[in-house]
């Protein structure tokens, strides 16, 4: 009998499966404990939970769950456009910002094309490019700092998209405005640059990449409701780009890709300044605490700009397991070719303290 793999697209054979942070329920089952006892610091989620305004609006929206959602996402796109100083036609909604990455691949990647991404950068770019038969050219990131000059030098006639996560996940590194400006000023007009800004709202001095969208450059800026707004489960992200680019991406989108409850929740969360402020304060204090503790413990870490910190624990997989036994889930980074490191999401201060106490025991 022939193998089904002989019929499947050949690039699927070696395609790695995305490994998400280990779910709380799975861990609770394995340890045979109450899920409430597990602390998950593995997926850069909001430790304070969803925006309360969003939660309230979504409860009401459930009453209309029999209706298909507004596939165009009119009100949410309108609100985003108003907030950011764009037109609705500059915004595309995705089932998480991950889906917008997939739209880009549908629209611009074919077999034999290339994308450029930094080593140790968010793995979705490579996985999605591979799915579409495109090759990922990975450029070095000395000391975990993405090198935009090296990205520029890696351009070939096959290059279609350059992905820049800023700040990057899992390293936490942030690229400055100067470097971005310099890079964009040299970019040829036929290549799309994607700035993935999933953690934008956590930054004290965020770089301005939207100016380049306003200038009509081939730039896509990605943002999400999964992080500061605390709505990761709902899957809402968006891209901001010149109108013609959005028009192309819209062709690749399934009609009802963002559900109605999620659209309502995101719309309410967008105006919940109090929740965003509180989340940022919690994350700022928690990140400072974690980094101080790592320094005291003489552990190497990459100073983070977002709601997580990457720290060298010697053997990431072993420490992950030891922490798991203590009911704390972090993220081992072998899949990112960083076997010595783990990434720890900033939690509430109580969670951070428990995590550090467990880490000290795990390392002793
Ligand atoms: C850099 C980066 N981009 C995109 C995403 C995906 O976010 P979403 O939940 O919007 O798909 C993540 C999630 O962790 C991320 O870290």
């Amino acid at each position: 009998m022939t193998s089904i793999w002989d019929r499947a697209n050949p690039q699927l054979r070696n395609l790695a499966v995305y490994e998400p942070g280990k779910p709380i329920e799975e861990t609770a089952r394995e340890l045979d404990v109450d899920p409430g006892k597990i602390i998950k610091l593995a997926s850069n989620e909001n430790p304070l939970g969803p925006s309360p305004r969003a939660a309230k609006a979504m409860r009401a929206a459930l009453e209309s769950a029999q209706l298909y959602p507004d596939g165009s996402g009119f009100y949410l796109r309108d609100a985003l456009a108003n907030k950011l100083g764009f037109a609705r036609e500059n915004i595309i909604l995705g089932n998480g910002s991950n889906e917008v990455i997939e739209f880009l691949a549908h629209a611009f990647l074919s077999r034999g094309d290339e994308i450029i991404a930094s080593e140790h950068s968010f793995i979705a770019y490579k996985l999605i490019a591979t799915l579409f038969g495109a090759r990922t050219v990975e450029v070095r990131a000395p000391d975990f700092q993405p090198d935009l000059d090296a990205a520029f030098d890696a351009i070939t006639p096959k290059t279609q998209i350059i992905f820049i996560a800023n700040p990057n996940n899992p390293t936490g590194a942030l690229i400055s405005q100067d470097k971005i400006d310099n890079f964009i000023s040299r970019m040829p007009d036929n290549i799309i640059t994607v700035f993935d800004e999933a953690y934008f709202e956590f930054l004290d001095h965020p770089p301005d990449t939207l100016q380049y969208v306003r200038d009509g450059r081939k730039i896509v800026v990605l943002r999400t409701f999964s992080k500061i707004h605390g709505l990761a489960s709902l899957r809402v992200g968006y891209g901001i780009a010149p109108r013609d680019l959005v028009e192309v991406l819209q062709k690749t989108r399934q009609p009802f890709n963002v559900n109605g409850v999620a659209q309502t929740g995101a719309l309410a969360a967008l105006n919940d300044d109090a929740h965003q402020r509180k989340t940022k304060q919690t994350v700022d204090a928690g990140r400072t605490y974690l980094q101080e503790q790592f320094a005291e413990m003489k552990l190497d870490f990459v100073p983070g700009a977002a709601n997580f910190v990457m720290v060298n624990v010697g053997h990431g997989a072993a420490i992950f397991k030891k922490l798991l036994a203590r009911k704390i889930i972090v993220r081992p980074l072998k899949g990112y070719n960083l076997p010595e490191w783990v990434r720890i999401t900033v939690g509430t201060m109580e969670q951070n303290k428990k995590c550090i106490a467990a880490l000290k025991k795990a390392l002793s």
Side-chain angles (χ1 to χ4, degrees):
M1 216 164 60
T2 56
S3 161
I4 193 68
W5 284 105
D6 295 333
R7 315 286 302 179
N9 290 332
Q11 67 269 25
L12 299 183
R13 267 190 194 266
N14 299 320
L15 180 63
V17 176
Y18 179 75
E19 257 190 70
K22 197 173 169 68
I24 288 179
E25 284 72 17
E26 184 183 308
T27 309
R29 274 197 308 275
E30 286 171 11
L31 297 177
D32 196 18
V33 296
D34 173 1
K37 296 266 186 307
I38 310 266
I39 296 174
K40 184 182 178 210
L41 303 174
S43 299
N44 305 338
E45 292 148 340
N46 188 323
L48 303 183
S51 147
R53 280 204 198 185
K56 185 167 174 231
M58 288 190 293
R59 270 182 226 113
L62 282 175
E63 301 299 326
S64 309
Q66 81 284 6
L67 300 174
Y68 282 99
D70 170 9
S72 78
F74 183 97
Y75 291 109
L76 181 54
R77 282 168 65 224
D78 216 39
L80 286 165
N82 282 334
K83 185 155 192 153
L84 300 170
F86 282 90
R88 198 169 49 249
E89 291 77 12
N90 291 110
I91 314 278
I92 183 162
L93 302 181
N95 196 264
S97 54
N98 241 343
E99 196 190 27
V100 185
I101 302 172
E102 205 176 308
F103 297 158
L104 283 156
H106 273 294
F108 300 108
L109 296 184
S110 306
R111 187 177 301 279
D113 285 340
E114 291 175 357
I115 66 155
I116 297 173
S118 177
E119 67 173 340
H120 315 309
S121 72
F122 186 49
I123 208 147
Y125 317 135
K126 188 177 183 175
L127 295 181
I128 292 173
T130 306
L131 187 59
F132 286 79
R135 193 169 82 86
T136 300
V137 176
E138 266 183 357
V139 293
R140 296 289 314 283
D143 294 328
F144 304 113
Q145 300 307 311
D147 182 346
L148 294 188
D149 290 332
F152 183 82
D153 292 342
I155 292 173
T156 75
K158 292 179 179 167
T159 307
Q160 290 282 76
I161 310 177
I162 301 184
F163 284 97
I164 299 167
N166 200 32
N168 181 45
N169 170 17
T171 61
L174 179 68
I175 308 171
S176 68
Q177 184 81 55
D178 288 3
K179 289 186 177 159
I180 292 170
D181 292 345
N182 182 278
F183 176 75
I184 294 295
S185 70
R186 299 160 74 199
M187 273 302 286
D189 190 48
N190 59 335
I191 295 172
I192 295 164
T193 304
V194 177
F195 288 101
D196 183 345
E197 299 181 350
Y199 303 95
F200 179 84
E201 298 87 349
F202 290 104
L203 303 178
D204 288 324
H205 306 288
D208 176 12
T209 50
L210 293 180
Q211 59 177 304
Y212 296 115
V213 177
R214 276 187 201 100
D215 290 348
R217 302 290 304 258
K218 291 192 177 59
I219 305 283
V220 181
V221 176
L222 302 180
R223 303 228 178 123
T224 182
F225 285 89
S226 297
K227 306 301 174 181
I228 204 149
H229 300 288
L231 302 178
S233 180
L234 297 179
R235 316 303 303 125
V236 194
Y238 54 102
I240 310 140
R243 285 174 188 235
D244 54 351
L245 213 164
V246 169
E247 206 176 306
V248 171
L249 297 179
Q250 290 284 18
K251 298 261 183 194
T252 71
R253 188 178 62 76
Q254 293 298 307
F256 306 111
N257 64 320
V258 179
N259 75 68
V261 177
Q263 288 186 35
T264 303
L267 192 56
L270 194 62
N271 296 317
D272 194 345
D273 293 335
H275 187 64
Q276 289 178 57
R277 216 174 312 117
K278 201 166 154 199
T279 302
K280 184 169 174 341
Q281 280 165 1
T282 303
V283 166
D284 284 345
R287 190 178 53 231
T288 302
Y289 167 78
L290 288 176
Q291 293 185 167
E292 279 169 5
Q293 292 295 311
F294 297 150
E296 228 169 72
M297 292 160 76
K298 308 234 170 335
L299 297 175
D300 249 359
F301 64 93
V302 180
N307 64 339
F308 55 88
V309 185
M310 189 173 93
V311 58
N312 188 329
V313 291
H315 194 307
I319 294 300
F320 163 75
K321 272 197 187 154
K322 286 188 179 178
L323 290 177
L324 207 56
R326 295 178 184 277
K327 303 193 265 306
I328 294 172
I329 316 173
V330 298
R331 189 71 156 264
L333 296 173
K334 192 159 177 277
Y336 282 87
N337 205 15
L338 295 164
E340 296 178 1
W341 299 73
V342 295
R343 190 195 67 199
I344 301 180
T345 301
V346 180
T348 60
M349 200 50 98
E350 187 189 345
Q351 292 176 328
N352 299 330
K353 287 188 173 164
K354 282 188 178 161
C355 177
I356 290 294
L359 184 60
K360 283 182 177 162
K361 290 202 174 112
L363 288 166
S364 66

